[in-house]
């Protein structure tokens, strides 16, 4: 965990440590049966750290992240931001949804969507709100589309709006649920670079859930690997890759490839995995 | 493989072409629809003029229209039209002022839902005009009787559609409101309400048609004024042309109200129409 301190760029990391303490989640079905989705996950995320969580499909990643976000209550354990318990609607944490297209409100323009994230919590004049909105839209390169509706934009642009909206709330912690999984490969690389730029500029704590090992290594300081359902932590790996990370060079560096090898082997080598066929 | 490509190409070509031909057909069918109306009116005119139907109660269409123009311009009908519209506006207004909040309360608050829902289901199948006679006992023959009936008729489609609209709000919108720490009231105002609005408006449109019907029926049953009352009086007085003129007038009023509503609706929820046009399904 001391690693995170080594490659800090611009401003000092803001906020407090995020502690996820022995989280468990059991869903009870309507017919009385129950599904154990998460089994005792413990993680600490330092202020300003970029943590990635990878795990196989359906293992409980979204559930875990929603519990962290306070959108869902855990069956056991607790989440704390600094000294505060996270329950209900936590300030300072924002969730970036997996279905970005659906998470934008279609009756609001792009600018109204972005302003929705802070206008109702902070007393400010109309023009100040608009200025803040424009600042974030400019960061994601969509200032010219402020008065469009979200459904008039491409998938990649919609995701950039969702990112601008999440960051305009100026959260201490940004929780991302596979935010890049449904855009094309090139757009995804673009968005990776964008999110790193924004993270460098704003120094929020980032928690990214993904099933894409490359994405996790490229973006994160540490990668936590989850087991099959019920999810528990099977390993946490420090990436130790230098920053700033470069879209092409970083992905071709020996360290990157070694990490990739290690993580993939880890994810595949378990009952039901395909590691044995691959040999 | 080549077959596939060829198929794709023909599909790509026939796609827009097909939609064009559908467009033409729609326009044609609308034209033929208008044509049928004209034909029926001609048949009406001719049947009366040629003596095919011989009755003093069957004036030709042209006479009815002339009567309508005279009745309106000489000031006989105008106050009646206004009183009917004013009555409709008040009854409808009361109905939706109660219906929309009630619909939201039922959809959002479990206790309210448990208490009110069965009553609504029970009252819903009653044919609205059937409540008028018992209401006469309770409210007498005054305007409050008519207003209650109109409001009652308005209430059901509004409440039921509002409930359906709120229930259909994407759960993710709730989470969006939550993650940005928006208050319950703000979420209701800025997220749930606009998301449910297309349903609410559809309910209001249905209700408007019903409210017009009930207004006229109420005026016919217990009238002192209004176009419905005029219609029955003309029938009693054997003034057939004036009676038909009133019917034409009511048809016109109902048609224009519906048109105006659709126009307003299209403006209020412009985004749904535009989004459909842009081909975004999500
Ligand atoms: N609301 C719910 N009620 C009951 N069971 C649920 C609910 N949400 C999720 N589950 C169950 O919990 C498990 C984990 O779901 P979750 O969505 O967290 O997985 P995930 O890792 O995010 O999957 P994916 O990679 O497909 O996004 C699934 O087996 C699912 O059936
Ligand atoms: Mg998920």
């Amino acid at each position: 965990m001391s690693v995170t301190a080594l490659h800090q760029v611009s401003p000092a990391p803001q906020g407090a440590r995020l502690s996820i303490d022995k989280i468990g989640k059991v869903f009870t079905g309507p017919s009385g049966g129950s599904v154990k989705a998460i089994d005792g996950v413990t993680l600490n995320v330092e202020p300003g750290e970029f943590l990635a969580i990878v795990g196989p499909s359906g293992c409980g990643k979204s559930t875990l992240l929603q519990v962290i976000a306070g959108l869902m209550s855990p069956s056991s354990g607790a989440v704390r931001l600094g000294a505060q318990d996270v329950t209900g609607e936590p300030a300072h944490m924002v969730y970036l949804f997996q279905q970005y297209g659906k998470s934008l409100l279609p009756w609001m323009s792009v600018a109204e969507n972005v302003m929705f994230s802070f206008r109702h919590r902070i007393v400010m004049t109309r023009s100040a709100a608009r200025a803040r909105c424009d600042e974030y839209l400019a960061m994601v390169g969509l200032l010219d589309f402020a008065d469009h509706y979200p459904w008039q934009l491409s998938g990649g642009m919609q995701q950039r709006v969702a990112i601008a909206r999440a960051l305009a709330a100026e959260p201490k912690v940004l929780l991302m649920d596979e935010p890049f999984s449904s855009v094309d490969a090139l757009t995804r690389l673009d968005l990776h670079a964008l999110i790193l730029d924004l993270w460098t500029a704003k120094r929020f704590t980032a928690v990214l859930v993904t099933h894409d090992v490359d994405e996790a290594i490229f973006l994160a300081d540490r990668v936590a690997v989850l087991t099959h359902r019920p999810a528990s932590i099977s390993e946490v790996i420090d990436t130790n890759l230098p920053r700033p990370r470069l879209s092409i060079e970083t992905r071709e560096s020996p360290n990157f490839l070694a990490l990739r090898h290690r993580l993939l082997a880890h994810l595949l080598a378990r009952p039901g995995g395909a590691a044995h066929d691959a040999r | 493989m080549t077959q596939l490509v060829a198929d794709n190409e023909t599909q790509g070509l026939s796609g827009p072409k097909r939609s064009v031909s559908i467009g033409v057909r729609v326009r044609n069918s609308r034209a033929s629809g208008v044509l049928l109306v004209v034909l029926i009116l001609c048949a009406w005119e001719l049947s009366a003029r040629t003596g095919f139907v011989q009755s003093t109660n069957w004036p030709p269409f042209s006479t009815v229209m002339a009567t309508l123009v005279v009745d309106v311009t000489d000031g006989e009908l105008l106050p009646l039209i206004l009183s009917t519209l004013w009555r409709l506006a008040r009854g409808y207004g009361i109905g939706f002022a109660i219906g929309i909040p009630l619909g939201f309360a039922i959809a959002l608050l479990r206790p309210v839902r448990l208490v009110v829902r069965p009553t609504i289901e029970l009252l819903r199948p009653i044919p609205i005009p059937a409540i008028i006679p018992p209401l006469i006992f309770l409210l007498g023959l005054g305007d409050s009787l008519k207003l209650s009936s109109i409001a009652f008729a308005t209430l059901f489609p509004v409440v039921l559609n509002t409930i359906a609209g709120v229930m259909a709000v994407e759960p993710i919108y709730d989470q969006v409101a939550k993650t940005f720490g928006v208050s319950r009231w703000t979420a209701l105002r800025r997220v749930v309400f606009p998301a449910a609005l297309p349903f609410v408006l559809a309910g209001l449109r249905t209700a408007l048609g019903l409210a017009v019907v009930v207004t006229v029926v109420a005026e016919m049953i217990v009238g002192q004024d209004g176009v419905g009352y005029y219609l029955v009086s003309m029938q009693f007085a054997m003034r057939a042309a004036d009676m038909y003129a009133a019917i034409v007038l009511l048809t016109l009023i109902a048609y224009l109200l519906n048109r105006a509503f659709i126009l307003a609706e299209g403006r209020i929820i412009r985004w749904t129409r535009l989004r459909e046009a842009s081909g975004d399904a999500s």
Side-chain angles (χ1 to χ4, degrees):
Chain A
M1 244 154 284
S2 54
V3 197
T4 53
L6 294 179
H7 36 64
Q8 278 161 18
V9 204
S10 44
Q14 33 171 296
R17 166 198 264 202
L18 176 66
S19 347
I20 299 150
D21 191 15
K22 300 195 212 70
I23 290 292
K25 179 73 190 180
V26 179
F27 289 109
T28 30
S31 51
S34 63
V35 177
K36 196 177 202 181
I38 308 175
D39 186 18
V41 168
T42 297
L43 271 172
N44 285 310
V45 195
E46 300 303 321
E49 183 183 3
F50 203 128
L51 174 83
I53 301 174
V54 295
S57 181
C59 75
K61 300 185 295 295
S62 296
T63 307
L64 176 61
L65 205 62
Q66 277 177 318
V67 169
I68 298 173
L71 294 174
M72 193 188 275
S73 54
S75 309
S76 58
V79 178
R80 270 183 300 277
L81 185 59
Q84 270 191 315
D85 271 352
V86 173
T87 45
E89 294 148 35
H92 312 306
M93 283 214 234
V94 162
Y95 191 95
L96 191 59
F97 293 87
Q98 190 167 1
Q99 314 105 301
Y100 56 83
K102 276 190 173 171
S103 83
L104 297 172
L105 305 173
W107 54 87
M108 293 187 191
S109 70
V110 164
E112 285 168 334
N113 261 288
V114 171
M115 288 189 283
F116 180 75
S117 74
F118 59 85
R119 272 227 78 167
H120 300 288
R121 283 183 297 116
I122 302 164
V123 181
M124 63 197 320
T125 64
R126 214 186 164 70
S127 58
R130 188 58 200 241
R132 176 152 156 190
C133 162
D134 286 353
E135 178 197 339
Y136 284 91
L137 280 179
M139 280 186 197
V140 300
L142 286 178
L143 197 48
D144 292 342
F145 292 87
D147 296 319
H148 282 59
Y149 283 94
W151 33 267
Q152 294 172 321
L153 310 181
S154 72
M157 290 158 93
Q158 287 179 21
Q159 186 58 306
R160 280 191 278 158
V161 175
I163 291 171
R165 181 178 66 173
L167 293 183
E170 303 192 338
K172 291 192 176 125
V173 182
L174 179 65
L175 304 166
M176 295 172 272
D177 186 2
E178 299 191 33
F180 313 117
S181 60
S182 38
V183 294
D184 63 89
L186 278 176
T187 306
R188 189 176 312 146
L189 297 191
D190 249 5
L191 291 175
H192 287 163
L194 173 69
I195 205 81
L196 279 187
D197 282 351
L198 295 171
W199 176 72
T200 308
K202 296 289 175 180
R203 267 343 225 154
F204 48 86
T205 307
V207 179
L208 168 78
V209 152
T210 178
H211 55 236
D212 180 341
V213 167
D214 289 26
E215 175 173 292
I217 301 168
F218 180 75
L219 294 173
D221 299 315
R222 285 189 303 150
V223 180
V225 185
L226 296 183
T227 60
H228 276 283
R229 202 184 69 227
S232 60
I233 305 252
S234 85
E235 195 181 6
V236 182
I237 296 173
D238 280 311
T239 57
N240 275 331
L241 296 170
R243 296 188 187 271
R245 300 198 176 158
L246 307 167
S247 289
I248 297 170
E249 291 79 353
T250 301
R251 286 188 172 87
E252 286 173 346
S253 71
N255 287 344
F256 183 94
L257 295 174
L259 281 166
R260 182 171 188 270
H261 184 99
R262 182 172 156 202
L263 276 171
L264 280 175
H266 193 96
L267 278 166
L268 293 173
R270 64 163 61 92
H276 304 286
D277 316 286
R279 248 166 238 170
Chain B
M1 185 64 203
T2 41
Q3 187 56 43
L4 254 177
V5 171
D7 271 346
N8 280 343
E9 270 174 10
T10 46
Q11 264 171 20
L13 281 176
S14 66
K17 216 191 278 170
R18 204 180 301 147
S19 72
V20 165
S21 71
I22 287 171
V24 170
R25 218 176 301 145
V26 166
R27 236 171 289 137
N28 280 343
S29 71
R30 184 177 293 174
S32 52
V34 172
L35 201 68
L36 181 61
V37 172
V38 172
L39 276 176
I40 291 172
L41 291 178
C42 284
W44 176 356
E45 185 74 24
L46 286 176
S47 65
R49 289 231 176 263
T50 58
F52 177 73
V53 177
Q54 274 196 334
S55 164
T56 45
N57 297 330
W58 187 239
F61 179 62
S62 55
T63 310
V64 171
M65 290 312 285
T67 311
L68 179 61
V69 170
V70 170
D71 286 349
V72 171
T73 48
D74 76 0
E76 187 183 2
L77 268 177
L78 217 53
L80 299 178
I81 296 172
L82 290 179
S83 88
T84 294
L85 285 177
W86 176 228
R87 186 168 294 121
L88 171 68
R90 281 177 299 162
Y92 183 66
I94 295 169
F96 84 68
I98 298 174
I100 294 176
L102 186 60
F104 271 93
I106 292 172
L108 295 172
L109 307 170
R110 214 175 117 79
V112 178
R113 180 160 59 243
L114 291 177
V115 171
V116 180
R117 196 96 197 236
T119 311
I120 296 223
E121 293 300 326
L122 203 68
L123 291 177
R124 184 156 72 119
I126 299 178
I128 308 293
I131 67 162
I132 296 177
L135 273 183
I136 294 176
F137 283 139
L138 294 171
L139 299 171
L141 295 171
D143 232 18
S144 57
L145 161 71
K146 289 171 220 156
L147 295 185
S148 318
S149 318
I150 302 163
F152 190 78
T154 305
L155 196 63
F156 287 92
V158 174
V159 168
L160 295 172
N161 267 56
T162 304
I163 295 172
V166 176
M167 296 290 189
V169 174
E170 297 276 357
I172 195 173
Y173 292 161
D174 260 355
Q175 297 196 314
V176 169
K178 245 183 170 180
T179 201
F180 294 121
V182 159
S183 73
R184 194 85 190 97
W185 168 244
T186 306
L188 191 67
R189 203 166 48 80
R190 295 217 59 201
V191 179
V192 180
F193 185 73
L197 197 55
F199 280 73
V200 176
L201 288 173
L204 281 173
R205 180 147 44 83
T206 313
L208 182 58
L210 277 177
V212 171
V213 171
V214 172
T215 306
V216 174
V217 170
E219 285 174 351
M220 286 169 71
I221 298 179
V222 282
Q224 292 97 20
D225 57 0
V227 183
Y229 169 69
Y230 178 82
L231 174 60
V232 199
S233 337
M234 291 303 108
Q235 191 244 318
F236 281 145
M238 307 283 273
R239 286 165 60 181
D242 299 272
M243 182 188 76
Y244 285 113
I247 295 173
V248 170
L249 181 66
L250 287 171
T251 311
L252 218 63
I253 289 175
Y255 177 81
L256 289 177
L257 283 175
N258 191 48
R259 278 276 123 208
F261 193 101
I262 289 172
L263 219 70
E265 187 181 9
R267 270 172 190 277
I268 296 170
I269 49 173
R270 210 164 62 96
W271 63 270
T272 53
R273 200 161 31 92
L274 293 176
R275 184 163 75 152
E276 268 160 35
S278 83
D280 181 311
S282 69

